[in-house]
Amino acid sequence: MEDEPQELQLARQRLVEHLKHEGIRDRAVLEAIESVPRHVFVYEHLLERAYDDAPLPIGHGQTISQPYIVAQMTATLCHGKRLKKVLEIGTGCGYQTAVLAKLVEQVYSIERIKNLSQVAQMTLKNLNIENVTLKYGDGYQGWVEYAPYDGILVTAAPEHIPETLLNQLAEGGRMVIPVGELGYQKLMLIEHHQGNFKQTFLEGVRFVPLMPGLDE
Ligand code: SAH
């Protein structure tokens, strides 16, 4: 981003410093956060808050995730490796998608709200991010065409881990997913080894719910 106002660049650097303070150590993730302009993913009237460590509304009752959560989920998913194929459920505005795209070879991302998927597609194209493939669809089904995935990142919370997604996780693959009822969920890491799915609790989080079916 060469032609962006310096203020925004500084705000982004301050956000990265804040994330380090909060315990995010993965350098590649911090660099990705520093290089993705979060402000282009939010409404213009929220520009001044684009680099707050907070979720913000993106329309349709949905939110762009808090940067700390994006960093934490991405670091846990990638675990210091450059993953080949990652599936994201819940594209939203595409911010998390863009951060992942900096760190993995190919990102597939599904969104059930058509307008959000279309806007995300445009935003990512304007940023010349090419290693992402978006789909308007129901994430509960996963995306069988490209399965299995080395990583699956879910950015909305189901009450139970969908078995369909477990079935699309490669051997040695990792899934990061918030699970539970509206208001409080457990962020979980799932590791797949020979048909076993080891679950590790990471922290308490608040996500929008994973909804069944499509929304026009
Ligand atoms: N990663 C996004 C977070 C968006 S919030 C970002 O950085 O902006 C979670 C998103 O999940 C919402 O856009 C919501 O519409 C979407 N979602 C909810 N249920 C879904 C489902 N079954 N399939 C696909 N997307 C879903």
Side-chain angles (χ1 to χ4, degrees):
M1 299 301 290
E2 282 149 25
D3 52 358
E4 71 173 347
Q6 207 193 2
E7 267 165 68
L8 293 171
Q9 219 174 316
L10 289 174
R12 198 155 59 240
Q13 283 163 4
R14 275 199 300 273
L15 171 63
V16 169
E17 287 309 310
H18 165 79
L19 295 177
K20 284 186 195 163
H21 269 282
E22 293 293 305
I24 306 293
R25 309 224 181 284
D26 189 312
R27 287 182 67 129
V29 170
L30 292 167
E31 276 168 25
I33 301 248
E34 186 153 355
S35 73
V36 177
R38 191 172 187 249
H39 64 274
V40 305
F41 292 89
V42 305
Y43 288 129
E44 235 175 289
H45 70 273
L46 295 173
L47 192 68
E48 287 185 359
R49 291 163 62 192
Y51 295 103
D52 288 0
D53 189 19
L56 295 169
I58 55 170
H60 305 269
Q62 307 303 320
T63 53
I64 179 173
S65 302
Q66 179 190 354
Y68 168 78
I69 290 291
V70 171
Q72 182 71 309
M73 289 177 85
T74 308
T76 306
L77 189 81
C78 296
H79 202 47
K81 296 205 183 86
R82 185 167 174 84
L83 302 181
K84 287 202 170 69
K85 253 197 290 178
V86 169
L87 175 67
E88 180 193 26
I89 308 295
T91 317
C93 64
Y95 175 68
Q96 167 79 75
T97 323
V99 171
L100 276 172
K102 299 277 175 192
L103 297 162
V104 314
E105 277 178 31
Q106 187 68 37
V107 185
Y108 298 90
S109 184
I110 308 177
E111 171 56 54
R112 70 180 282 279
I113 299 177
K114 199 177 202 169
N115 175 253
L116 288 178
S117 182
Q118 288 168 338
V119 172
Q121 179 88 53
M122 272 178 42
T123 312
L124 293 166
K125 186 167 181 274
N126 289 339
L127 290 173
N128 296 316
I129 295 177
E130 284 170 355
N131 56 335
V132 304
T133 312
L134 302 190
K135 168 172 154 167
Y136 162 57
D138 176 8
Y140 270 106
Q141 310 307 317
W143 197 342
V144 77
E145 201 178 336
Y146 299 104
Y149 301 93
D150 308 309
I152 300 181
L153 192 110
V154 186
T155 71
E159 287 191 10
H160 306 283
I161 298 169
E163 215 173 299
T164 328
L165 296 183
L166 294 178
N167 291 335
Q168 294 181 20
L169 199 55
E171 167 61 27
R174 295 158 77 84
M175 170 153 76
V176 178
I177 181 170
V179 189
E181 290 172 17
L182 193 63
Y184 175 82
Q185 298 112 16
K186 292 178 173 175
L187 188 62
M188 303 296 295
L189 164 67
I190 318 289
E191 295 168 276
H192 178 200
H193 288 294
Q194 298 176 345
N196 290 320
F197 296 92
K198 183 181 161 204
Q199 300 194 14
T200 310
F201 169 72
L202 300 169
E203 60 186 288
V205 287
R206 278 176 85 156
F207 274 85
V208 295
L210 193 72
M211 306 284 285
L214 292 177
D215 184 300
E216 271 294 310

